[in-house]
Amino acid sequence: MLSTTLAGLRAHLPRLVAATLAVVIATAFVAATLVLNETARATLLRAAGAQYVGADAVVTARDGGSLAGDVATLTALPGVAAVDPTATADVQAALPGRSAAYLQVGSVAADPELRWQRVTDGTLPDRPGELALGMPTDAEVGDVVAVSVLDPATGDVTATAEATVTGLVDLAGDPAAGVFAHGYAVPAQVSAWGATDPTELRVAAAPGTDPAGLVATVAAALDGRDVTVGTGEEAAASAVAYVTGNRLALTAVLLVFATVAVLVAGLVIANTLAVLVAQRTRDLALLRCVGATSRQVRRSVLAEAAVTGLVASAVGVGAGIGLAAVVSALVGTDSPIPLEGVTVPLYAVAAGLAVGTLTTLVAALGPARAATRVAPLAALRPADPAPLRSRGGLLRFATGLVLVLGGSALMALGVVMAQIYPALAGGAASFLGVVLLAQRAVPPVVAAAGRALGRAGGLPGRLAAGNASRNPRRTAATATALLIGVTLTTAMVVGAASTRATAQAGLDSAYPADVEIGAYGELPSSLLPQLEEVDGVAGGTALAGADLTGPDGQPTWVQGVDPADAGAVLRSTADLPLPALGEVVLPPWAAEVWSVRDGDEVTLTAGANSRTLTATVGGDASTPLLYAADLRGLVPDAPAATLWLRLADGDGQRDAIAEVTELTGAAAPDAYVTGLASERAAIDQVLDAMLLVVTGLLGVAVLIALIGVGNTLALSVVERRQENGLLRALGLTRGQMRGLLAWEALLVAGVAAVLGVLVGGAYGLIGTASLLGGQDVVVVDVPWVQVGGIVVVATVAGLLASVLPARRAARTAPVAAIAAV
């Protein structure tokens, strides 16, 4: 029987192309997702967690206290080769291309094993007076940098020095790269520049020492101290989590879509094998007649599926690794999810092979049973379609109903609790229920749409409407593949758009100014006009600042703002209310110190001037805010102390920030530049990457669904061969026959696309509400153009899937079709 199976595989190899392609696509999706996940993790560990990768143990002070006194204790422990106290200093340096910018200087470990910096040019410093700079800067090896040491309390320059650039360090993966410059010097130099006490110690183990044992030894030596002791890998993982936040949740999303791709592929494989079984009914029946048992025939079909699945899975894994390599090369490290090279874990290969092979085998169970369910002689004639209201159909209906109701309850719980995991579990369960109920829900909708189509499509349209509703099982199987792809793609599109809108609204509320410029002293009045001329700066406003005496008799720094000017600059005033004339907006800490409640009167004085204002308590302002005219009434010559800038939307914000930083450093050396514009841009990059993935998913889902629709229509042509021949004999032309199948595919695909958009939109909104329900406001954003595009693409894909089956049906001679038995 094995030789017969292999001979059948060779004979029907072209017919297996559709099933093979579906398995290859689904397996490639799974493999690529797992490889990209491991690649991103490895890249981030080498980047954001690079300083910990070479350490065997890491000690961190929970309370931020100094660990300088513990260096000698740990160095004396058995098994310890070296201890590096992480020291940093903030200085001001005149860097090439970035005048008078802040420079965060970190210490270079004395032990080579604990040196983590990746030098792209030159070497790390080995004596005082030398400095390595983190990219990106315009500095070159050999440049001399003027360094100013600042008093952290007043911001005054306390010392100046010069340092020679000895090397350039790669900062790929650092979230602040491009906004703040970084430098590295020997510990003595960092100390001379005002290094803070170390709050973290990195420990290297002596040769032959077990890292786990070293961690236990270090923890025992520091017993009683408020510290955390862990391995370098654990510290690196924590650093990666801090840098990425929830960005790696994209991997989980991709795995969800990979699962969906496998499910769609399973349906396509089942339909493809059903087509093969239907086309080989005579062959299988003759095998039964000449002595083959039902078990042998069933094993033959399953063996055929296993070989097909294994070969297609191997091809798919290779394709997935290649796809991951292409994505890694295109994305690179200049991305919120950096990728460098390709890391192929063994589990990705094993998972791809297992998923593809097992999916094919599971999908083949139904056709294998169908191949042996009919008696040999009965199989020599066409079988009647299975009734919809069978015992199995009722069981599927009941199971689907339970899954939909239970999953909906879990999703509601996830929305109420603002927890994604219950909602995700509920979404998976309810969606499986939707797939099971599709056999009952889709045919009536198709029948209703078919009645409207029958009036518009002429004779082919009326026949197509009747065919689509005559066999509910076939119609549901055709629609389900598209329904799954469209539902998940729409959910992702709507969810990503709503997540973007909600995240941006949250950032706008928490950080209403794109860029904030402050100073320890007075800002030049000419600075704001200069900054407003920068390409990419949409506008700005200045806040005056002065010390006023509050109700407690102590001087308090307050600022005055013009609401009309500020309103045009700030992106939101939801969490930063602006004062009206005669009002003062108090942050919670000021209201507590002054024992003031909302609506109380507050008297502020400056020398001989005083003014009584109405208090408004709340908001995220760091200092009390007055109306600008009220502050000038108290301090007429109050200087500009803070500038708020709004950047133009779109690309170029990072360049604008760099130019603003340079101009600010040149005009006000003691000023600082902060803002969340870069974080907003990072979120946009992540969501753009997700939407790009969605576009790819739409292509994958449509491609797999197109194969499924084509297979089901091919099965329809086989089952209705006599019927089609009779229609041709009664006068139906070849063009009308092609039109009949085209209208049928268009009808089923259109209904599946519309239902998928409705269900997917609901899933997308539920997912957003559960993921971001902790926000004050969840912004619903439905990208109607993209949703409409999904409907059009899915419908056209279904129409294209009818081309080959329609050509086959039209090319069959009427007499040959009627003669089929």
Side-chain angles (χ1 to χ4, degrees), residues 577-658:
L578 299 178
L581 187 64
E583 288 183 351
V584 56
V585 176
L586 298 179
W589 67 263
E592 182 179 354
V593 170
W594 292 348
S595 301
V596 173
R597 292 179 298 178
D598 196 51
D600 290 351
E601 291 186 344
V602 177
T603 300
L604 300 176
T605 61
N609 300 325
S610 66
R611 186 159 295 196
T612 300
L613 308 170
T614 302
T616 298
V617 179
D620 290 339
S622 58
T623 62
L625 290 179
L626 276 67
Y627 195 85
D630 287 328
L631 181 61
R632 293 193 192 96
L634 293 168
V635 185
D637 58 347
T642 301
L643 301 181
W644 287 344
L645 300 181
R646 178 164 183 162
L647 302 181
D649 295 331
D651 298 334
Q653 290 191 349
R654 187 175 290 274
D655 293 336
I657 292 174

Side-chain angles (χ1 to χ4, degrees), residues 427-453:
S430 62
F431 189 65
L432 183 57
V434 168
V435 172
L436 293 176
L437 292 178
Q439 192 174 106
R440 294 294 186 102
V442 172
V445 179
V446 171
R451 286 192 288 271
L453 176 65

Side-chain angles (χ1 to χ4, degrees), residues 452-496:
L453 176 65
R455 292 190 291 270
L459 177 61
R462 291 193 297 273
L463 291 173
N467 287 338
S469 57
R470 185 177 300 117
N471 193 323
R473 285 182 181 274
R474 186 171 60 227
T475 299
T478 306
T480 299
L482 271 178
L483 177 66
I484 293 174
V486 172
T487 296
L488 269 295
T489 305
T490 304
M492 190 65 178
V493 167
V494 174

Side-chain angles (χ1 to χ4, degrees), residues 47-98:
Q51 64 267 43
Y52 305 113
V53 172
D56 296 289
V58 177
V59 181
T60 306
R62 291 196 189 97
D63 57 359
S66 174
L67 297 178
D70 299 305
V71 175
T73 302
L74 298 184
T75 304
L77 293 177
V80 172
V83 177
D84 176 50
T86 303
T88 59
D90 292 331
V91 300
Q92 196 174 70
L95 299 175
R98 299 184 70 168

Side-chain angles (χ1 to χ4, degrees), residues 552-727:
D552 60 348
Q554 299 296 321
T556 301
W557 180 257
V558 301
Q559 297 192 88
V561 59
D562 187 335
D565 291 342
V569 173
L570 300 179
R571 292 187 177 269
S572 172
T573 57
D575 293 338
L576 183 63
L578 299 178
L581 187 64
E583 288 183 351
V584 56
V585 176
L586 298 179
W589 67 263
E592 182 179 354
V593 170
W594 292 348
S595 301
V596 173
R597 292 179 298 178
D598 196 51
D600 290 351
E601 291 186 344
V602 177
T603 300
L604 300 176
T605 61
N609 300 325
S610 66
R611 186 159 295 196
T612 300
L613 308 170
T614 302
T616 298
V617 179
D620 290 339
S622 58
T623 62
L625 290 179
L626 276 67
Y627 195 85
D630 287 328
L631 181 61
R632 293 193 192 96
L634 293 168
V635 185
D637 58 347
T642 301
L643 301 181
W644 287 344
L645 300 181
R646 178 164 183 162
L647 302 181
D649 295 331
D651 298 334
Q653 290 191 349
R654 187 175 290 274
D655 293 336
I657 292 174
E659 189 172 352
V660 166
T661 303
E662 181 179 354
L663 290 175
T664 301
D670 61 343
Y672 60 87
V673 179
T674 62
L676 262 291
S678 58
E679 305 302 329
R680 183 181 289 109
I683 289 180
D684 277 340
Q685 282 184 284
V686 173
L687 292 174
D688 286 342
M690 294 176 69
L691 290 176
L692 182 63
V693 170
V694 168
T695 304
L697 292 174
L698 177 59
V700 171
V702 168
L703 181 58
I704 297 179
L706 188 147
I707 297 171
V709 173
N711 286 345
T712 310
L713 290 175
L715 177 59
S716 173
V717 169
V718 172
E719 291 179 344
R720 300 192 329 232
R721 191 179 184 195
Q722 285 185 311
E723 176 185 332
N724 293 338
L726 181 60
L727 289 174

Side-chain angles (χ1 to χ4, degrees), residues 297-377:
V297 172
R298 184 164 55 250
R299 287 178 177 175
S300 174
V301 175
L302 291 177
E304 185 176 297
V307 173
T308 302
L310 184 60
V311 173
S313 298
V315 175
V317 168
I321 295 173
L323 176 62
V326 171
V327 172
S328 179
L330 292 176
V331 173
T333 56
D334 187 19
S335 167
I337 305 178
L339 301 173
E340 181 179 331
V342 177
T343 303
V344 183
L346 182 60
Y347 69 81
V349 177
L353 293 175
V355 165
T357 306
L358 291 177
T359 300
T360 308
L361 281 174
V362 171
L365 292 176
R369 290 181 58 195
T372 58
R373 192 177 299 160
V374 183
L377 293 178

